[in-house]
Amino acid sequence: MARKKASSAPFRLPRQSGEIIDRTRQIRFTFDGRTYRAHPGDTIASALAANGVRLLGRSFKYHRPRGLMAYGHSLNGMVQVGAEPSVSAWLEPVVEGMDVRPVNSWPSLRRDWLSATRFFDRFLPVGFYYKTFIRPRWAWPYYEKLLRRAAGLGRVDFDAPPAAGYLKRHLHADVVVIGAGPAGLSAALAAAGGGARVLLLDDQDEPGGHWRWERGRERERVELAEAVRRSPGIQYRSGTFVQGWFEDHWLFAVRERQLYKIRGRATIIATGVEDQPLIFDQNDLPGVMMGSAVQRLLHLYGVAAGKKPLVVTANEDGWQLAADLQAAGLRPAAVVDQRPQAEAAGARHLPDVPVFWQSTVAAARGRSTVERAVVRSIPGERRGSDRREERVIACDLIAVATGWAPRAGLLYLAGGRAAYDDTYHEFRPTDLPPGVFLAGRVTGSHSAALQIDEGDYAGRQALAYLDLGEAPPDNEGALLAQLRAGEPGRTSGRFYAAGRPGGKRFVDLDEDVTDRDIRQALAEGYDGIELLKRYTTLSMGPSQGKWSSINALRLVSVVRREPVPALGRTTARPPLQPIKLAHLAGQILEPERVTPLHAWHVAHGAHLMAAGLWTRPEHYGDPAAEVRAVREQVGLIDVSTLGKIKLTGPGAGRLLDRLYVNSMARLPIGRARYGVMCSSEGVIFDDGVVARLGENDWYLTTTSSGAEAVFEWIQWWAQSGWGEGVLVTDVTEVLAAVNLSGPRAREILSRLVGDPEQLADRTFPYMRVRHLAVAGIPCRLLRIGFTGELSFEIHPPAGEAQTLWERLLAAGAEDGIRPFGVEAQRVLRLEKGHLIVGQDTDALSDPFSAGLGWAVKLDKSDFIGQRSLLRLADSEISRRLVGFKMERPGLLPEEGLQIVEAVPRSSAHPLGLKIIGWISSARFSPTLGEVIGLCWLPAALADRPGTPFTIRRGKGLVTGRVHHGPFVDPEGSRLQG
């Protein structure tokens, strides 16, 4: 889409006291393909509002137009920034060249095709996805694709580079204060003044809380904030969102790209309140906003949320908002107060502003933004006052300042409780857990002086709890409660769901849940609050119920004719607001392990691959040539990644007998044996080679990926009583390992050994171990053959690995020796039918089904997995790991493909195919000139060599045939050399 010329900012006001933008500079950004101007300090929300952009996105279910509503995380303020979805426009600063896109709209924001769903909303009732898409069952994949296309809060770019720079840090404090408003600042100063180490956390960029966007509070805010900054006992962190409270004052919080794990000894919660919306017709139109959001734009960014505002209120805050708007040159179209005039003791007179007492907004009117408001009188209790009068008032902004809900999520997570106060129509905290204290508006206080006193009181309570000071007098808390109860300006409005029958009145704007949806869910029997939440998806969106839960409870109370306290509440769970997975993951801690030969591999052009934590050579340019070199001449591979563990002590043999399914204790000195470890469930855990070096000395190797787990496994069982007198040592990084493999391996190795007779087959036969000096380097040699060829696995000290490697290559230069990598090794082992644990096995693979039953010695006295394997031995095997060849020699099936059989079409098998197995390994064999592999099949198929089976590949079907035994040298003559 072509970018249009940058527009001016028609809603930017003259400079405001306390604003945080830099008007001396301009930056440009784009939204929905159009370029706009902003100032440093602007967020996406303030910049778009300054440019008169009302439409930010589309709603989740009906794709209705949505704009800024309340500060924080909500669908109404979600945008996509570059490759990052679900970004809060309120919280994201604008930077030069930023590309911002709307969410949940296609093909464009203003012409969203899915907005047509508003004409069919009668067919999309609450829970419609439970009722509509269950039949026919075969159609669900198509429904799912449609639903995924219609929903979502942005698009994930799978090609974007992984998030980087995210860190985790630990913080410690005596007192953790959450919230840096007047109460939080006062609490921090009181606690620090008593000698406590204080950690002050706030989600705003600057301290002050609601003072930052209230006119006339700048001087008080600066003085209090400066006192906090000067205090040596206070550590202050701005822009920090505390997401959870756990036992013993363990909290976690996020700030930019950091996640803090915080351990405190006492917690003071001074998190403030959230404005609560009204329920009326079209209350989701862009231009309906919370009063505090309007004030933020006005005082912090110098932006008018609308040029003709209408304020609806039920308290002093709404009148303050109206006065602020008028002082900024934005004369309100009207002030609508839900109270009778006689109850509004703190209300002030605004010249030339109409006031409608005992009234509320019944509807917003406008096509895509607010253009008019329908104001309706509220019937009173006095005789003759029950008439409903309506007026239509032209306006472009409906600012709602009728009530609050405490931001008490952390209190609930800590085990605290709150009760609904019918007098003030708010939840008020009641029970506090030990060491948790409250201060400020979260308690229900309203005036700044009272909030400061409460903060000071909470700080001294925390000191007393920590034995760092005396407890405040008993009557002080009672006096604060009395003052709080007597405040005239903190009333919340009564609950009204105003509008016409059939109108759209949204309770939860994140999830498009209307009052009609809640009424219908209650009628269908979903009358428990938790059940209602899940059935309607109420409060399950980005805002997590901040602007919907209270109104939902009030509505349920009206419908069921039960008091709010009797309804219960939904359970609070962390995190309290959306958090990036990158925060939880933290720094990308994927240590890269390299072998002692890594530098040589890189210098000689190896194509490297990740193998677990290891970086290994996949090949050196031609894997097929490497395979042929091993089969015909000789090859050399770096296998230093193998786990290497040494056991010493008289009980080592008995311990190994219990760790492996094989018999190990009677293994003669100088012999080696292939071994299999199983879990107690009889599932293959690891495999490798066990060699006996002396009477009480043993040496074993493990798979590269299982080295750490096997070492921990052995230590666990050794310390459980089985390993008395056994010392277990991990020598994986002490020793390197290389494998010289091929028909000419003995001849080449003999050139580097002082006495070649020591390598003769009669003195050093297959599956033996011995110590020899190779090229003057003391080494441990094992005659084993994973590749199926004559092989010598050589284990030198890690520091001598490169010298040994280079001398082996030099000794075999005339014989065509070449290094080979993991890819060639996998082909070679597959040609011999050898499995790889973790690739050809899974969490259900036992030795019998994997073709390793010959290794299981059930007659041993005891070993791990014996009981499970005894049961399996007496059971019929249902599936087997077996070899296969492809009918078409050049067709290579990808590993992991399904093996299927034809069955009648049904809802369970809509394609007429049933999964009966899968491909675990497959490669083209240069030795045989055809595709071979290993797969899992039902035993009835696997037991018959040559039996065809069907593999689903893409949208087609291909055929393989069962093969038993090794594909190359089934007699094993090459291993003997």
Side-chain angles (χ1 to χ4, degrees):
M1 182 183 294
R3 293 185 179 181
K4 299 179 182 178
K5 184 177 179 181
S7 63
S8 60
F11 284 76
R12 188 77 73 179
L13 298 171
R15 188 181 303 277
Q16 302 292 307
S17 174
E19 69 178 33
I20 60 175
I21 58 173
D22 180 3
R23 293 181 183 251
T24 64
R25 293 187 296 141
Q26 283 195 344
I27 52 180
R28 294 177 180 238
F29 71 104
T30 62
F31 175 72
D32 199 26
R34 186 184 180 95
T35 302
Y36 296 98
R37 294 190 182 97
H39 295 294
D42 266 321
T43 65
I44 295 172
S46 66
L48 290 176
N51 285 277
V53 177
R54 289 290 189 91
L55 182 60
L56 263 69
R58 294 281 176 167
S59 71
F60 182 75
K61 180 177 175 182
Y62 298 119
H63 284 246
R64 291 169 62 90
R66 288 292 170 84
L68 296 174
M69 188 270 292
Y71 172 83
H73 287 278
S74 71
L75 185 142
N76 280 40
M78 286 292 183
V79 293
Q80 174 118 5
V81 178
E84 185 176 353
S86 304
V87 175
S88 172
W90 284 104
L91 305 176
E92 191 72 15
V94 175
V95 297
E96 180 66 38
M98 175 181 278
D99 178 24
V100 184
R101 283 166 281 165
V103 300
N104 218 27
S105 58
W106 187 84
S108 68
L109 179 58
R110 293 197 171 273
R111 299 176 181 239
D112 177 35
W113 288 7
L114 285 172
S115 63
T117 55
R118 68 182 184 274
F119 299 117
F120 308 102
D121 61 349
R122 70 182 64 183
F123 303 109
L124 301 173
V126 59
F128 73 96
Y129 27 80
Y130 299 123
K131 307 168 184 176
T132 309
F133 300 124
I134 59 175
R135 295 184 183 86
R137 290 184 62 181
W138 60 264
W140 170 247
Y142 304 102
Y143 292 145
E144 183 182 29
K145 189 176 293 185
L146 176 64
L147 289 171
R148 286 184 179 277
R149 178 75 181 184
L153 301 179
R155 292 289 178 264
V156 176
D157 183 357
F158 291 99
D159 296 324
Y166 286 84
L167 303 173
K168 292 183 180 179
R169 295 187 59 189
H170 292 267
L171 301 175
H172 300 270
D174 295 322
V175 180
V176 180
V177 181
I178 305 163
L185 295 172
S186 176
L189 286 169
R197 295 174 303 149
V198 177
L199 178 62
L200 176 61
L201 307 173
D202 190 58
D203 57 9
Q204 303 296 309
D205 295 330
E206 292 288 336
H210 60 91
W211 274 2
R212 297 182 66 210
W213 55 89
E214 289 183 2
R215 186 177 298 276
R217 296 292 188 181
E218 184 63 15
R219 181 177 177 181
E220 296 171 272
R221 182 187 75 83
V222 170
E223 289 177 353
L224 201 55
E226 188 59 32
V228 167
R229 287 195 178 98
R230 289 196 305 265
S231 174
I234 300 176
Q235 182 182 172
Y236 167 65
R237 294 186 184 272
S238 62
T240 303
F241 295 81
V242 180
Q243 299 280 22
W245 189 102
F246 299 91
E247 191 174 6
D248 294 330
H249 303 277
W250 192 99
L251 303 96
F252 85 97
V254 295
R255 180 177 185 263
E256 297 177 346
R257 297 196 170 209
Q258 296 188 71
L259 184 144
Y260 295 126
K261 298 180 179 181
I262 303 164
R263 176 69 74 183
R265 298 171 58 205
T267 305
I268 298 176
I269 299 174
T271 45
V273 292
E274 299 282 4
D275 291 36
Q276 293 300 293
L278 285 176
I279 300 178
F280 54 83
D281 286 353
Q282 306 275 58
N283 63 334
D284 67 326
L285 267 181
V288 178
M289 292 182 66
M290 296 296 95
S292 62
V294 174
Q295 284 184 304
R296 284 175 185 268
L297 291 176
L298 176 64
H299 295 305
L300 298 183
Y301 305 101
V303 172
K307 293 188 175 179
K308 197 170 186 181
L310 178 144
V311 177
V312 55
T313 187
N315 50 60
E316 177 64 14
D317 276 13
W319 284 91
Q320 180 62 55
L321 168 61
D324 288 354
L325 291 170
Q326 189 170 51
L330 303 167
R331 186 172 68 85
V335 173
V336 179
D337 198 318
Q338 294 181 340
R339 301 169 294 177
Q341 186 172 6
E343 295 180 8
R348 59 192 72 182
H349 174 68
L350 297 177
D352 302 323
V353 176
V355 180
F356 299 96
W357 296 103
Q358 201 171 328
S359 300
T360 192
V361 173
R365 295 284 182 259
R367 185 167 184 179
S368 59
T369 63
V370 169
E371 298 173 8
R372 301 174 302 281
V374 177
V375 175
R376 177 183 297 172
S377 61
I378 299 172
E381 297 177 356
R382 292 173 298 141
R383 184 176 179 182
S385 62
D386 58 348
R387 294 191 318 165
R388 291 181 179 268
E389 298 179 358
E390 283 192 357
R391 300 173 180 83
V392 178
I393 300 175
C395 60
D396 64 354
L397 170 68
I398 300 175
V400 179
T402 57
W404 307 274
R407 295 178 64 184
L410 288 171
L411 171 67
Y412 300 142
L413 293 178
R417 297 181 180 178
Y420 190 76
D421 189 317
D422 282 316
T423 302
Y424 294 103
H425 314 292
E426 297 176 13
F427 273 92
R428 300 180 65 184
T430 54
D431 300 331
L432 302 181
V436 176
F437 309 97
L438 302 182
R441 300 196 73 178
V442 70
T443 69
S445 62
H446 188 79
S447 70
L450 182 55
Q451 291 166 37
I452 291 174
D453 289 343
E454 284 185 336
D456 180 75
Y457 178 69
R460 288 183 286 124
Q461 281 184 303
L463 289 173
Y465 175 77
L466 299 176
D467 294 327
L468 295 175
E470 295 184 0
D474 293 337
N475 63 346
E476 187 172 348
L479 177 61
L480 290 173
Q482 183 179 354
L483 292 173
R484 188 163 52 241
E487 286 187 294
R490 59 166 297 273
T491 56
S492 289
R494 297 175 178 85
F495 175 76
Y496 303 102
R500 300 175 301 178
K504 284 285 187 188
R505 292 174 291 275
F506 289 90
V507 179
D508 189 327
L509 276 69
D510 283 347
E511 300 287 320
D512 274 359
V513 179
T514 65
D515 66 328
R516 184 174 63 181
D517 291 331
I518 293 177
R519 294 175 190 274
Q520 182 176 333
L522 293 172
E524 293 181 14
Y526 297 94
D527 52 357
I529 292 301
E530 293 279 7
L531 197 59
L532 179 73
K533 168 183 174 178
R534 282 153 181 80
Y535 184 62
T536 62
T537 69
L538 180 77
S539 78
M540 293 171 65
S543 66
Q544 291 290 285
K546 290 179 184 176
W547 298 287
S548 61
S549 293
I550 303 300
N551 278 334
L553 285 171
R554 290 170 164 178
L555 179 58
V556 173
S557 173
V558 170
V559 174
R560 291 176 51 179
R561 298 183 180 180
E562 294 183 37
V564 171
L567 301 177
R569 295 184 63 258
T570 56
T571 303
R573 294 182 177 89
L576 294 178
Q577 58 189 22
I579 184 174
K580 297 177 183 178
L581 291 177
H583 279 120
L584 299 178
Q587 187 177 359
I588 301 176
L589 296 175
E590 293 186 1
E592 181 182 339
R593 301 183 68 179
V594 296
T595 73
L597 296 166
H598 180 74
W600 189 96
H601 300 317
V602 173
H604 289 79
H607 182 275
L608 301 175
M609 61 174 285
L613 296 179
W614 291 96
T615 297
R616 301 187 65 185
E618 184 176 15
H619 58 78
Y620 297 86
D622 189 347
E626 295 168 18
V627 171
R628 287 191 291 269
V630 176
R631 290 281 179 239
E632 299 169 6
Q633 297 163 318
V634 69
L636 185 64
I637 184 172
D638 179 6
V639 290
S640 300
T641 58
L642 291 173
K644 309 171 198 72
I645 302 172
K646 184 180 179 181
L647 282 77
T648 306
R654 293 191 301 273
L655 176 60
L656 292 172
D657 236 13
R658 291 178 168 182
L659 293 171
Y660 287 89
V661 301
N662 315 60
S663 178
M664 294 295 180
R666 293 192 296 271
L667 186 68
I669 296 173
R671 295 287 295 271
R673 180 170 292 163
Y674 172 76
V676 178
M677 286 185 177
C678 285
S679 67
S680 57
E681 293 80 15
V683 173
I684 296 173
F685 175 55
D686 201 79
D687 67 347
V689 174
V690 177
R692 189 168 190 176
L693 307 179
E695 183 64 30
N696 297 322
D697 294 327
W698 300 73
Y699 182 71
L700 60 95
T701 62
T702 74
T703 59
S704 298
S705 60
E708 287 83 3
V710 171
F711 179 63
E712 291 177 4
W713 182 256
I714 295 174
Q715 284 186 312
W716 171 268
W717 289 105
Q719 295 172 25
S720 70
W722 282 3
E724 185 177 356
V726 179
L727 176 64
V728 184
T729 308
D730 185 358
V731 294
T732 300
E733 296 185 0
V734 176
L735 299 176
V738 300
N739 193 294
L740 186 68
S741 186
R744 313 192 73 169
R746 180 182 286 116
E747 180 182 347
I748 292 170
L749 188 58
S750 297
R751 299 169 186 166
L752 299 177
V753 175
D755 183 6
E757 183 63 22
Q758 296 186 77
L759 300 178
D761 191 58
R762 61 181 178 277
T763 57
F764 191 19
Y766 182 58
M767 297 305 288
R768 297 295 195 277
V769 61
R770 70 188 317 166
H771 289 85
L772 286 174
V774 181
I777 300 169
C779 298
R780 181 172 295 141
L781 275 69
L782 294 95
R783 270 287 313 274
I784 54 180
F786 192 55
T787 64
E789 297 291 335
L790 172 65
S791 299
F792 295 91
E793 192 169 284
I794 311 168
H795 294 224
E800 302 286 351
Q802 185 163 332
T803 300
L804 175 67
W805 177 271
E806 291 175 343
R807 291 187 182 180
L808 286 168
L809 290 174
E814 296 181 358
D815 299 279
I817 190 173
R818 66 186 300 164
F820 66 99
V822 173
E823 178 60 25
Q825 184 189 44
R826 289 178 175 175
V827 175
L828 291 163
R829 66 91 189 178
L830 199 54
E831 291 178 343
K832 290 297 295 179
H834 294 156
L835 62 81
I836 296 178
V837 174
Q839 176 170 323
D840 298 301
T841 64
D842 60 17
L844 298 175
S845 301
D846 63 84
F848 299 115
S849 60
L852 299 175
W854 56 268
V856 181
K857 305 304 178 186
L858 295 173
D859 57 347
K860 291 195 297 179
S861 60
D862 191 14
F863 64 91
I864 301 170
Q866 185 185 47
R867 291 166 180 79
S868 298
L869 293 174
L870 281 169
R871 288 194 297 270
L872 288 170
D874 293 334
S875 305
E876 185 176 344
I877 295 176
S878 61
R879 59 174 188 160
R880 289 190 188 277
L881 180 66
V882 69
F884 73 90
K885 292 184 176 183
M886 294 300 295
E887 273 198 350
R888 289 172 55 187
L891 183 63
L892 177 64
E894 292 81 359
E895 293 170 346
L897 289 183
Q898 301 164 348
I899 299 172
V900 298
E901 67 176 4
V903 296
R905 288 178 179 266
S906 66
S907 58
H909 305 101
L911 300 178
L913 298 173
K914 178 183 178 182
I915 300 171
I916 61 172
W918 66 94
I919 304 296
S920 62
S921 293
R923 288 292 189 277
F924 176 81
S925 167
T927 307
L928 301 172
E930 58 184 327
V931 173
I932 60 175
L934 296 176
C935 67
W936 286 91
L937 285 173
L941 279 178
D943 289 343
R944 303 195 303 270
T947 303
F949 57 86
T950 304
I951 305 167
R952 186 183 179 195
R953 186 171 186 262
K955 295 184 179 180
L957 302 175
V958 296
T959 303
R961 290 187 179 273
V962 174
H963 177 88
H964 284 188
F967 297 93
V968 173
D969 188 28
E971 299 81 13
S973 59
R974 297 191 184 197
L975 290 170
Q976 307 303 323

